[in-house]
Amino acid sequence: MLKPFALLLAALVLAQLLAACGDREPKQYAAAPAPPVSARGNPAQDIDALRRNVPITSEITPLPMATVENFDMTRGRAYPMQPPTVPHSIDGYQVDLNSNRCMLCHARSTAAQFQAPPVSVTHYMDRDDQFLAEVSPRRYFCVQCHVTQTNARPLVANGFRDIDEVLRSERVQ
């Protein structure tokens, strides 16, 4: 007999609480006024540097696809330990769990035959500096670090100077 009475009492208390809450009018919050157009710019006139100075409200014609430079010559490096770039096209190369097309020419055992630079000995080392018979799994996917170069124009300005250039300019001053 006590349980139904307790449930009835709890239901009445809950009903009174809900009724009391429902009597209040919701507070009206006023949003801050938007800043003037001159303070934040006009979205129709905003320019994104990567869009070649075309307003974001306009469609642009995409640039032609860049072609891979295919010079087969070693490029200079900008900093010590920089991975060398790939001086030829690698379109259609299969580099996956089952096959690595790069290793056909660049494996230490075949590099001389194909007149290709062999993969560095560091690629045959595990994380404990132990030499392996095959390329380390950490170094297997070549395009993680080695990239091809294209004839594409830079989209943003780049003022990078390598350390040799910085040191030369300091000596001159």
Side-chain angles (χ1 to χ4, degrees), residues 16-74:
Q16 285 182 346
L17 284 174
L18 289 175
C21 291
D23 289 345
R24 293 189 213 158
E25 288 188 29
K27 290 185 179 179
Q28 297 293 326
Y29 292 101
V37 169
S38 61
R40 66 175 179 186
N42 184 346
Q45 300 300 321
D46 285 346
I47 303 296
D48 179 0
L50 298 180
R51 292 180 54 86
R52 304 183 319 260
N53 297 322
V54 175
I56 60 174
T57 56
S58 302
E59 289 291 324
I60 61 173
T61 304
L63 292 172
M65 292 292 292
T67 56
V68 173
E69 292 179 354
N70 206 11
F71 296 139
D72 277 342
M73 68 171 112
T74 305

Side-chain angles (χ1 to χ4, degrees), residues 46-117:
D46 285 346
I47 303 296
D48 179 0
L50 298 180
R51 292 180 54 86
R52 304 183 319 260
N53 297 322
V54 175
I56 60 174
T57 56
S58 302
E59 289 291 324
I60 61 173
T61 304
L63 292 172
M65 292 292 292
T67 56
V68 173
E69 292 179 354
N70 206 11
F71 296 139
D72 277 342
M73 68 171 112
T74 305
R75 291 182 182 90
R77 301 189 198 182
Y79 57 89
M81 304 304 289
Q82 175 188 356
T85 58
V86 179
H88 57 81
S89 175
I90 59 172
D91 291 345
Y93 277 32
Q94 182 177 352
V95 178
D96 60 25
L97 186 61
N98 301 316
S99 176
N100 183 333
R101 171 69 172 79
C102 301
M103 296 308 289
L104 176 67
C105 301
H106 294 281
R108 299 191 78 70
S109 59
T110 59
Q113 175 187 352
F114 288 98
Q115 298 179 350

Side-chain angles (χ1 to χ4, degrees), residues 92-149:
Y93 277 32
Q94 182 177 352
V95 178
D96 60 25
L97 186 61
N98 301 316
S99 176
N100 183 333
R101 171 69 172 79
C102 301
M103 296 308 289
L104 176 67
C105 301
H106 294 281
R108 299 191 78 70
S109 59
T110 59
Q113 175 187 352
F114 288 98
Q115 298 179 350
V119 172
S120 167
V121 295
T122 59
H123 289 57
Y124 290 88
M125 296 167 61
D126 66 10
R127 65 175 147 199
D128 299 322
D129 293 335
Q130 300 297 314
F131 284 95
L132 307 169
E134 297 290 325
V135 171
S136 168
R138 298 182 316 144
R139 302 286 185 99
Y140 182 80
F141 295 99
C142 308
V143 292
Q144 289 181 135
C145 302
H146 303 278
V147 296
T148 57
Q149 299 294 296

Side-chain angles (χ1 to χ4, degrees), residues 2 81 163:
L2 189 57
M81 304 304 289
I163 189 65

